[in-house]
Amino acid sequence: MVARTRTFLAVLIKMTAPNRAVFACKGGGRDRAFAFVSQEFHIRQATPDDAAIIGWHRARMFQDMGLVPDELFESFRTKALDLLGKALASGDYFGWLVSERNAPQKIIAGAGVIIREVPPFPIRHKNGEITIAEGRQGLIVNVFTEPEWRRRGLAQLLMEQIIAWSREQQLDGLVLHASDDGRALYEKFGFVPTTEMSLGGGDE
């Protein structure tokens, strides 16, 4: 029987577009206490009824990175909304949304995880031990904060929530794509560059 690794975090941030880079972290944050409860903000899990706001977040996120011009914004948002609605209903997408505690209906930030299966792979630990991961990973997507609420620690709250949840799910790793603005946050959690490469997704 394949031994399940207890190394929690192996994050890949894939170089597929401008302002994005590749990182990974083995066991990052494994011994840290994540206090994601905030007196000012409330985090809740997303439901299928939240597909519209999550689709908005996804389109805005790529627009902020300069990858979705104005003329493509609405079609991008509509496609994202359709897919996210189905994924939320099927349980393939897990999302978290942030609001002020005194205004729970106004969503000001969010992030999500898509569970994906990959073939088993070996992980070498710092002590030299090698264990075999079963290949159950979480793809972190749609990390977005409304502009007027940025620099308030909301992305960190979301990441802490996701990491705590992923531990409970016993995932072998987390995978995400990061912009330049997001790298410092992920490095704070112990993410380091990887050797991953990619082909396609653009003309470069």
Side-chain angles (χ1 to χ4, degrees), residues 182-197:
R183 295 181 194 180
L185 172 63
Y186 304 127
E187 289 172 348
K188 180 178 179 179
F189 285 102
F191 301 3
V192 296
T194 75
T195 57
E196 182 174 341
M197 302 174 68

Side-chain angles (χ1 to χ4, degrees), residues 42-185:
H42 174 69
I43 302 177
R44 66 169 176 85
Q45 194 148 11
T47 71
D49 292 337
D50 296 310
I53 187 64
I54 299 173
W56 166 262
H57 285 175
R58 184 167 181 80
R60 283 292 312 282
M61 177 185 69
F62 281 106
Q63 186 181 54
D64 284 354
M65 290 192 290
L67 298 175
V68 177
D70 291 344
E71 63 271 19
L72 295 180
F73 182 89
E74 189 57 28
S75 63
F76 184 98
R77 187 195 66 80
T78 300
K79 290 180 179 179
L81 168 61
D82 181 58
L83 179 62
L84 286 164
K86 294 176 182 176
L88 282 161
S90 67
D92 293 329
Y93 182 95
F94 298 86
W96 292 267
L97 300 172
V98 181
S99 62
E100 286 186 283
R101 285 197 176 275
N102 59 1
Q105 300 306 313
K106 182 181 179 181
I107 303 302
I108 58 178
V113 175
I114 297 172
I115 300 297
R116 70 181 191 179
E117 300 285 342
V118 299
F121 57 90
I123 294 180
R124 184 187 298 276
H125 301 271
K126 291 181 178 180
N127 63 3
E129 178 188 6
I130 295 178
T131 57
I132 304 301
E134 293 183 11
R136 189 164 173 263
Q137 296 180 332
L139 174 63
I140 300 176
V141 293
N142 305 330
V143 181
F144 178 80
T145 301
E146 294 290 349
E148 64 269 29
W149 290 97
R150 292 173 185 172
R151 309 302 178 189
R152 301 283 293 274
L154 298 183
Q156 179 170 326
L157 287 175
L158 286 162
M159 286 299 298
E160 289 168 350
Q161 175 70 73
I162 289 173
I163 289 172
W165 173 84
S166 299
R167 286 174 174 165
E168 295 174 357
Q169 300 298 311
Q170 296 186 327
L171 300 184
D172 291 315
L174 292 171
V175 179
L176 59 82
H177 299 180
S179 66
D180 286 341
D181 290 340
R183 295 181 194 180
L185 172 63

Side-chain angles (χ1 to χ4, degrees), residues 12-15 17 19-23 176-180 183:
L12 306 178
I13 306 173
K14 189 176 181 182
M15 178 81 78
N19 302 322
R20 305 171 91 178
V22 183
F23 289 81
L176 59 82
H177 299 180
S179 66
D180 286 341
R183 295 181 194 180

